[in-house]
Amino acid sequence: MKVLVIGPGGREHAIVRSLLADPSVTEVHAAPGNAGIAQAVPTYPVDASDPAAVTALATSLGADLVVVGPEAPLAAGVADAVRAAGIPVFGPSREAAQLEASKAFAKQVMAEAGVPTAMARVAANAEEAADALDAFGAPYVVKDDGLAAGKGVVVTSDRDAALAHAQACFDAGGSVVIEEFLDGPEVSLFVLSDGHTVVPLAPAQDFKRIFDDDEGPNTGGMGAYSPLEWAPEGLVAEVVDRVARPTIEAMAQRGTPFVGVLYCGLALTSRGTRVIEFNARFGDPETQAVLARLRTPLGGLLHAAATGRLETVEGLRWAPEAAVAVVLASQNYPDKPRTGGRIRGLKKAGALDGVHVLHAGTALDEEGKTVSSGGRVLAVVALGEDLTHARERAYEGVELITLEGGQYRHDIAAKAARGEINVPGVTNSAGTGAER
Ligand code: AMP
Ligand code: GLY
């Protein structure tokens, strides 16, 4: 099987790495990729969000499967174009990808499907925004309705700041969704779907804020780990039954079946599990941690989803180890990241036992040296017998890598490793298991 992976980031590097480990995959190609992906497979300078260009590349390569990584190509209809050319594609249609591209649409589908989520109101002007803020009270949650790479959300107790974010979205011609605040730890669960059958992966936790202790602005994600030993027994089954399956069924009923990965962003609140958001793609950097543990060959799995055969897939196999991914970001990320800095120490870090480095915003300069080219530059991923061990290895790797002004969080998976994560209303969650 020949596979073409679309996208430029760390998630795509993780997917490429897992595909290369699948014996049924004979060739992997990527577009546009990054410096790390280009070391592993042939890459092509194609605009990932150009449906015709991606389809032409897939056709000329004779690809048996196209995997679309990021949200922008999905929202631009890349999966539709590839599918129309008769090539199996892992990634939802433009319409199905609205589950991520429009938060208002996602709320509507959740309401139809009876999926538990935060109460929300759509506001199109300052007056409506102020009313909604006062209806829910502090802390305030204000979300840009459109795609904003995880940066369109402001959570604050400052009413003026909440109003200012709403106004900025209105000024840009958009609307906002204002929600009740959800307490409790967050979980990312990826559920594969062929349009009807659903197969959950192992849950992960992401670290959205730029600084330690969840300080500072939201980012695309600064690190992740999996599995979640603190998660309540039966969490995955609950999310499949109450969230993923009803959503996939609602999308099929609407005539817009969802093929790809439904990313369920959840909060485990004192009032039960609630959906914070849906994404129509794998999470970044959660994928880097989750795929590090997946032992079931990825190519076969994604091909089964793309061709309506997920029913035939047997139970997934997982490595017993814990995985931790720590992101190294550019100076000034997420504001105006400084790029073009030389990155050193990649080989040394990747040579550590149980450690691999996945590139995100990297490129080669004129001398062929690896330099930063984006906000999130790379992730160091480590497997270890437990979270403590995996963290040690991941940070050992991060410390071997140098990038001027580079920043990373020091507390990825730290609370979980210390057993300090509590789900409100749940007294204990002892035990282990790859399902959690
Ligand atoms: P989203 O883009 O919807 O995933 O939001 C980004 C981040 O903002 C989430 O991962 C949460 O940390 C936070 N967030 C979003 N919605 C809420 C909410 N209703 N209550 C509390 N935090 C939220
Ligand atoms: N890590 C969060 C996301 O992929 O949206």
Side-chain angles (χ1 to χ4, degrees):
M1 174 167 49
K2 269 191 204 176
V3 190
L4 170 62
V5 178
I6 300 300
R11 160 186 51 215
E12 287 76 28
H13 196 180
I15 292 169
V16 164
R17 180 176 185 271
S18 290
L19 288 172
L20 288 171
D22 180 340
S24 80
V25 173
T26 50
E27 282 177 39
V28 181
H29 300 260
N34 56 39
I37 293 173
Q39 273 173 16
V41 302
T43 58
Y44 308 85
V46 162
D47 176 359
S49 292
D50 180 340
V54 171
T55 306
L57 177 62
T59 306
S60 74
L61 291 170
D64 302 297
L65 173 68
V66 175
V67 180
V68 183
E71 58 271 30
L74 295 169
V78 165
D80 307 73
V82 174
R83 207 168 273 129
I87 302 171
V89 52
F90 182 85
S93 66
R94 191 170 179 276
E95 279 189 74
Q98 291 299 307
L99 273 183
E100 169 166 6
S102 165
K103 291 187 188 284
F105 175 80
K107 286 286 184 192
Q108 201 179 322
V109 173
M110 285 190 251
E112 264 171 47
V115 169
T117 184
M119 286 186 295
R121 282 203 206 170
V122 180
N125 58 48
E127 200 181 323
E128 287 173 14
D131 278 353
L133 291 176
D134 296 336
F136 295 128
Y140 305 105
V141 181
V142 181
K143 304 186 173 189
D144 191 341
D145 182 44
L147 283 180
K151 290 163 235 163
V153 178
V154 165
V155 181
T156 176
S157 293
D158 178 346
R159 189 172 177 280
D160 290 338
L163 276 175
H165 180 59
Q167 192 58 51
C169 297
F170 301 145
D171 291 345
S175 53
V176 296
V177 174
I178 291 177
E179 295 192 349
E180 72 175 315
F181 177 78
L182 299 175
D183 61 349
E186 288 180 37
V187 171
S188 303
L189 182 69
F190 304 151
V191 181
L192 307 182
S193 172
D194 59 8
H196 303 279
T197 301
V198 294
V199 174
L201 302 189
Q205 195 172 42
D206 179 24
F207 293 76
K208 288 244 163 66
R209 306 280 186 145
I210 184 75
F211 301 129
D212 287 8
D213 299 321
D214 296 328
E215 302 280 352
N218 270 327
T219 70
M222 292 297 292
Y225 67 93
S226 183
L228 312 180
E229 297 204 340
W230 51 267
E233 190 91 49
L235 174 70
V236 171
E238 181 202 349
V239 176
V240 166
D241 289 345
R242 299 200 51 211
V243 176
R245 198 173 290 122
T247 302
I248 295 300
E249 279 169 7
M251 294 301 286
Q253 248 166 26
R254 283 171 158 258
T256 53
F258 186 97
V259 175
V261 54
L262 180 66
Y263 166 141
C264 303
L266 308 158
L268 310 193
T269 79
S270 46
R271 285 176 296 145
T273 304
R274 296 278 184 277
V275 173
I276 292 189
E277 63 163 349
F278 282 139
N279 292 316
R281 45 153 184 100
F282 284 111
D284 189 339
E286 296 98 309
T287 301
Q288 288 86 315
V290 170
L291 292 188
R293 296 186 55 244
L294 181 66
R295 290 286 171 264
T296 303
L298 184 66
L301 201 53
L302 301 186
H303 190 261
T307 53
R309 293 180 301 106
L310 267 187
E311 227 173 21
T312 64
V313 166
E314 287 174 18
L316 302 186
R317 287 177 291 113
W318 297 94
E321 290 102 331
V324 172
V326 178
V327 170
L328 176 67
S330 297
Q331 183 173 5
N332 262 333
Y333 177 73
D335 191 19
K336 288 210 169 49
R338 181 181 141 202
T339 57
R342 193 53 208 283
I343 306 162
R344 293 186 170 83
L346 292 168
K347 276 208 189 106
K348 271 194 209 154
L352 293 174
D353 208 21
V355 174
H356 60 275
V357 179
L358 295 172
H359 291 228
T362 65
L364 297 183
D365 70 5
E366 283 144 18
E367 295 166 33
K369 310 280 190 205
T370 308
V371 296
S372 61
S373 64
R376 292 186 292 171
V377 177
L378 54 84
V380 178
V381 185
L383 285 173
E385 63 201 24
D386 55 23
L387 278 181
T388 304
H389 193 216
R391 288 189 79 239
E392 275 167 18
R393 287 174 156 179
Y395 280 106
E396 202 183 322
V398 172
E399 280 154 24
L400 288 172
I401 297 175
T402 55
L403 166 67
E404 203 185 316
Q407 35 172 352
Y408 60 89
R409 279 183 60 157
H410 303 81
D411 62 345
I412 303 302
K415 270 193 188 170
R418 293 195 303 261
E420 286 173 7
I421 299 188
N422 295 309
V423 179
V426 175
T427 36
N428 187 325
S429 54
T432 60
E435 277 286 297
R436 279 183 275 153

